[in-house]
């Protein structure tokens, strides 16, 4: 990973993780109102963007943003339909979906990136 990309990715990942922890632990702080939505917006989109590497950057950004919004809406609608609304469960569910997308990226793109290195 290049230096510029790491300089953006690492603080963003730390901020997202902090937002998830603050939301799940129910810590009442003004930072939670910024970091928890950041987590909900970035994690699913980053997972999808990882699957779209090698594509046009603007297209990747648009698809990642739209899929992040769609995933959050589907999770919220499912919780409302089944009458199990909980913001903690929503954060955990979005985190698990983001982890699933990351694992899928490792499986799907892992062989291609190893072949490119040699």
């Amino acid at each position: 990973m290049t230096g510029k990309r790491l300089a953006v990715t690492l603080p963003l990942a730390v901020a997202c993780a902090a937002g998830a922890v603050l939301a799940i632990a129910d810590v009442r702080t003004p930072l939670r109102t910024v970091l928890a939505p950041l987590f909900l917006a970035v994690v699913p989109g980053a997972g999808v963007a990882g699957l779209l590497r090698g594509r046009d950057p603007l297209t990747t950004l648009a698809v990642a943003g739209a899929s992040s919004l769609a995933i959050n809406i589907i999770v919220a609608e499912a919780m409302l339909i089944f009458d199990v609304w909980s913001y903690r469960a929503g954060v955990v569910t979005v985190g698990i979906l983001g982890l699933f997308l990351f694992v899928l990226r490792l499986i799907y793109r892992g062989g291609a990136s190893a072949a490119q290195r040699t």
Side-chain angles (χ1 to χ4, degrees):
M1 191 178 287
T2 64
K4 290 180 184 178
R5 189 166 164 202
L6 185 64
V8 172
T9 305
L10 191 60
L12 187 60
V14 169
C16 287
V21 169
L22 290 175
I24 293 170
D26 196 24
V27 177
R28 303 278 182 198
T29 178
L31 283 176
R32 185 177 90 172
T33 59
V34 175
L35 297 179
L38 181 70
F39 170 81
L40 293 172
V42 169
V43 167
V48 171
L51 291 172
L52 297 175
R53 282 210 176 144
R55 308 287 195 290
D56 176 39
L58 188 58
T59 303
T60 301
L61 183 65
V63 170
S67 63
S68 181
L69 182 63
I71 288 170
N72 282 302
I73 289 173
I74 290 169
V75 167
E77 285 288 326
M79 288 193 308
L80 287 174
I81 287 171
F82 295 113
D83 199 27
V84 290
W85 178 259
S86 168
Y87 65 88
R88 288 180 182 161
V91 169
V92 170
T93 304
V94 168
I96 289 171
L97 288 171
L99 180 66
F100 172 72
L101 288 169
F102 178 71
V103 169
L104 188 64
R105 177 191 166 263
L106 289 178
I107 292 169
Y108 178 67
R109 296 295 227 173
S113 60
Q116 289 174 354
R117 287 184 208 149
T118 59

